[in-house]
Amino acid sequence: QVHLAESGGRLAQPGDSLTLSCRISGRTFIVDTMAWFRQAPGKEREFLAALTWDTSNTTHADSVKGRFFISRDDAQNTVLLQMNSLKPEDTAVYYCAAKAWVVTTTDVEYDYWGQGTQVTVSS
């Protein structure tokens, strides 16, 4: 089993920067890809970014490219999501996810999920 635990969500103001963390534990050797998704009220879950564990290659959704950045902190066994220039429309529950094999942007193909962390952007 793989366990994921997100943290870092909070109330932020428009224009703020915020970094979310996802700590991975358990059978981490089976994980090839880590990703971040978000789900706003009344909307479907949206892919944001993914990272290939062995190469650290990254993929970012066009909707957040240039504002959001996925990275890893090996010392903490953590995947980060740096979010800049936050907008009210970034308000959502943010989830990290993990899977074996190749990167995909489709949420149903991810096997492991964290509990989510709430990000609210409001003045």
Side-chain angles (χ1 to χ4, degrees):
Q1 188 66 290
V2 174
H3 303 283
L4 304 175
E6 304 98 333
S7 62
R10 63 171 174 85
L11 175 64
Q13 293 193 339
D16 280 357
S17 294
L18 187 63
T19 299
L20 305 181
S21 298
C22 175
R23 183 172 178 85
I24 181 170
S25 61
R27 301 178 67 202
T28 59
F29 61 89
I30 66 175
V31 173
D32 297 303
T33 298
M34 295 289 298
W36 284 96
F37 290 78
R38 68 183 177 189
Q39 188 165 23
K43 295 188 176 181
E44 293 186 352
R45 195 150 48 187
E46 175 190 12
F47 170 81
L48 299 175
L51 179 146
T52 305
W53 200 250
D54 59 347
T55 64
S56 293
N57 286 339
T58 60
T59 302
H60 294 82
D62 288 343
S63 60
V64 299
K65 195 172 292 183
R67 282 198 309 130
F68 290 12
F69 302 93
I70 190 171
S71 63
R72 59 190 288 181
D73 180 345
D74 288 344
Q76 301 293 327
N77 223 27
T78 296
V79 174
L80 307 173
L81 184 68
Q82 171 72 38
M83 305 187 293
N84 300 320
S85 303
L86 285 168
K87 307 173 182 179
E89 51 264 43
D90 293 321
T91 295
V93 178
Y94 284 69
Y95 298 91
C96 71
K99 67 183 297 290
W101 303 109
V102 298
V103 171
T104 175
T105 62
T106 307
D107 59 351
V108 296
E109 297 188 34
Y110 284 80
D111 301 308
Y112 305 99
W113 291 84
Q115 80 286 352
T117 186
Q118 176 72 47
V119 173
T120 303
V121 184
S122 174
S123 55

